[in-house]
Amino acid sequence: MSKVLTIDEVVGSLESGMTVGIGGWGSRRKPMALVRALCRSDVTDLTVITYGGPDVGLLCAAGKVRRLVTAFVTMDSIPLEPHFRQARQTGAIELTEYDEGMFMFGLYAAAHRLPFLPTPVGLGSDVMRVNPELKTVRSPYEDGQELVAVPALKMDAALIHMNRADARGNAQYLGADPYMDDLFAKAADRTYVSCERLVDTADFAKEGPPQSMLISRAQVTGVVETPNGAHFTDCEPDHRRDEAFQKLYAKSAADPEAWAAFRDRFLSGDEAAYQDAVRTWQEESR
Amino acid sequence: MSDVTRAEVCAVACAELFRGDGEIVAAAVAGFVPMLGSRLARATFEPDLLTTDGGPTLSAEPVPLGRTAEVAEGWLPFRDHLWLVLNARRHVVMGPSQIDRYGNTNISCIGDWERPARQLLGSRGGPGNTLLNPTSYWVPKHSARVFTDKVDFVSGVGWDRGAHEIRAVVSNLAVLDFDTPDHRMRLRSVHPGVTVDDVVAATGFELAVPGDVPQTRLPDDEELRVMREVLDPKGLREREVPA
């Protein structure tokens, strides 16, 4: 019954060459504890599907990404992601670049086990030029409209971060936006949920209304409790984005020497060591 | 009220983008000035507009810059924004890194896409916004690097590539539109203190310039009061426009 795993068990079940979806949006509710663990692992050669934020940056910096499928990579309050930029500018990663609405249709298609979903979005733009594998279809009805057939974004595994989950893998978001996390969970063969806090199933109702229960255990392979696990991205109402730390990250990522120091200080140990190092840094910065 | 700043002229020009739009979502994502403009339009001459507080909340009233809505009249998470692009009851203001004479824009990368000299944001919602929604642009620093002969990547389609409607471009120097027979960019008005030559010199392609170019209108007293006392008392608009 219980699907509770450790961070290492989740990452240990992933293999090199897999296609991995990551929930959240930009620098918001990213499963950063799982991403950090993935960076420490031997897994490599990944195809990563996500509305990109610093998760993409960390994975690029660790050399884990072969191909990225995305519409953007941003940290919101800091528009551009230095590691992602570096990876693109040195040719270190391959990119499938979609419009963000096309991307959502790719998720919907995969979640509904459809081969594609049609949308006009993309026509006329260079998204069609740089993705020559994209095909168009014509409406069979009177309108005869030409539409882009956005292929299903299938994935071997998805990693998402929720505010609450129970041991069976049901999960709840308590912030203002679900992002596309339920679509990732339905699109993937296996979905792993990290959460701020594991709760008894009976306690979901105390935390939020029924419609906040976004993820069903039927879609979930494993669940892991990672308090402050979305740090430094936003995870309202449990914690806001750590803007000061994000600034430190961005500044460090833009300079090789500073990045080595950042990595040594924050990313050389496990998740507990990371959280300790962050707390120490926060106390020092006060 | 006097000593109108350039940022205030720009904000009113951004508000004017929404005149006549009615009951649609004003998605002014390009910065403080267009965000202020959309809320100013709603607070004055375009009261049916829907605006957000920058998050997933449709606010019951126009919200001051940097504040969250005290009263919500609706919920618009990202998935519904993307649905709304297709539904089309939306007018978006984006910030281009490059824009050409037909309003094709680039927010993706500078140089060859295969291996860019400078990676930017990525296409984000540009292709859908421009194909399906009225789209306008805000350029806080008008230069020939932004207003360029050819964009390196078409992330937002222009009039010659099937755009729904590229309505206008507001920059720190001028307002430009596409009101020409073949939808080439035209100089509509210059801001107070700016000459036609200034704009032409800062534009990397040939602009359509009418014989008589009017001055961008000044904010009226009520608009100044709403901006200064209600919607942007901290003056965030002034940070975005170089003096």
Side-chain angles (χ1 to χ4, degrees), chain B residues 10 23 45 57 94 105 118 133 147 184 197 212:
Chain B
C10 292
E23 207 157 29
F45 57 79
T57 299
M94 295 192 289
T105 53
R118 286 199 300 131
N133 298 168
F147 290 81
R184 283 171 189 250
D197 287 347
D212 185 25

Side-chain angles (χ1 to χ4, degrees), chain A residues 57-74:
Chain A
L58 281 174
L59 289 167
C60 286
K64 302 300 187 190
V65 183
R66 183 179 64 80
R67 173 173 289 273
L68 175 67
V69 182
T70 196
F72 58 79
V73 181
T74 182

Side-chain angles (χ1 to χ4, degrees), chain A:
Chain A
M1 276 286 273
S2 172
K3 293 176 185 167
V4 176
L5 301 174
T6 65
I7 290 173
D8 288 339
E9 283 171 331
V10 171
V11 169
S13 76
L14 304 177
E15 290 161 32
S16 294
M18 274 187 166
T19 297
V20 177
I22 302 177
W25 178 286
S27 186
R28 305 164 202 233
R29 221 177 60 231
K30 286 288 179 177
M32 295 297 277
L34 297 180
V35 168
R36 284 186 283 268
L38 199 46
C39 290
R40 292 193 298 271
S41 75
D42 297 333
V43 174
T44 186
D45 200 31
L46 295 174
T47 295
V48 174
I49 299 179
T50 190
Y51 288 104
D55 50 338
V56 169
L58 281 174
L59 289 167
C60 286
K64 302 300 187 190
V65 183
R66 183 179 64 80
R67 173 173 289 273
L68 175 67
V69 182
T70 196
F72 58 79
V73 181
T74 182
M75 298 196 289
D76 300 307
S77 53
I78 298 174
L80 302 179
E81 219 296 344
H83 284 313
F84 165 65
R85 302 188 77 190
Q86 181 73 4
R88 280 281 287 149
Q89 290 162 198
T90 57
I93 60 167
E94 297 168 18
L95 179 65
T96 298
E97 178 172 339
Y98 286 174
D99 166 275
E100 60 195 18
M102 292 174 74
F103 186 107
M104 180 173 78
F105 271 36
L107 291 178
Y108 269 117
H112 292 83
R113 306 295 186 253
L114 293 168
F116 69 90
L117 276 172
T119 176
V121 172
L123 294 175
S125 79
D126 275 344
V127 164
M128 302 306 287
R129 173 172 68 84
V130 300
N131 295 291
E133 75 285 0
L134 283 176
K135 295 190 175 3
T136 61
V137 291
R138 201 163 282 285
S139 165
Y141 298 104
E142 236 173 70
D143 60 279
Q145 200 184 348
E146 190 190 23
L147 300 157
V148 180
V150 183
L153 288 173
K154 294 183 206 163
M155 46 194 99
D156 298 306
L159 310 175
I160 61 177
H161 188 77
M162 291 282 122
N163 299 94
R164 305 286 175 266
D166 69 10
R168 294 189 285 191
N170 299 299
Q172 184 177 37
Y173 80 106
L174 300 173
D177 198 318
Y179 311 118
M180 308 294 173
D181 286 9
D182 50 329
L183 301 180
F184 278 95
K186 290 169 184 162
D189 292 342
R190 289 157 28 198
T191 295
Y192 297 99
V193 179
S194 61
C195 65
E196 289 294 313
R197 188 145 54 81
L198 274 172
V199 296
D200 288 335
T201 309
D203 287 340
F204 282 131
K206 296 176 195 162
E207 301 277 348
Q211 61 268 31
S212 65
M213 298 176 68
L214 191 68
I215 307 295
S216 161
R217 63 186 167 86
Q219 316 290 350
V220 174
T221 298
V223 58
V224 51
E225 187 179 57
T226 61
N228 206 34
H231 185 269
F232 45 89
T233 70
D234 177 279
C235 188
E236 297 266 24
D238 291 307
H239 57 84
R240 306 184 69 169
R241 184 183 299 129
D242 187 341
E243 297 286 359
F245 193 89
Q246 175 162 289
K247 269 187 204 155
L248 175 72
Y249 166 81
K251 205 173 153 205
S252 306
D255 172 72
E257 231 171 85
W259 180 247
F262 182 97
R263 211 179 42 210
D264 284 350
R265 178 161 188 188
F266 297 105
L267 301 173
S268 55
D270 62 9
E271 180 64 13
Y274 172 82
Q275 296 291 349
D276 280 346
V278 169
R279 266 190 298 276
T280 305
W281 179 82
Q282 286 167 340
E283 278 158 25
E284 283 172 14
S285 325
R286 244 173 233 140

Side-chain angles (χ1 to χ4, degrees), chain B residues 121-216:
Chain B
L121 194 58
S123 290
R124 196 135 201 185
N129 290 341
T130 50
L131 190 71
L132 300 169
N133 298 168
T135 301
S136 300
Y137 289 101
W138 160 240
V139 178
K141 194 166 183 217
H142 195 129
S143 77
R145 288 177 68 170
V146 178
F147 290 81
T148 180
D149 191 47
K150 191 174 181 305
V151 300
D152 292 347
F153 186 94
V154 178
S155 43
V157 298
W159 280 106
D160 61 336
R161 281 177 170 251
H164 173 78
E165 179 196 357
I166 308 299
R167 188 165 295 176
V169 183
V170 176
S171 79
N172 61 317
L173 301 183
V175 180
L176 308 111
D177 63 23
F178 300 86
D179 196 9
T180 54
D182 62 350
H183 292 300
R184 283 171 189 250
M185 198 185 289
R186 180 189 81 134
L187 182 55
R188 182 197 287 175
S189 67
V190 289
H191 300 337
V194 179
T195 66
V196 169
D197 287 347
D198 292 337
V199 179
V200 168
T203 302
F205 52 83
E206 196 184 334
L207 270 177
V209 181
D212 185 25
V213 178
Q215 200 174 77
T216 310

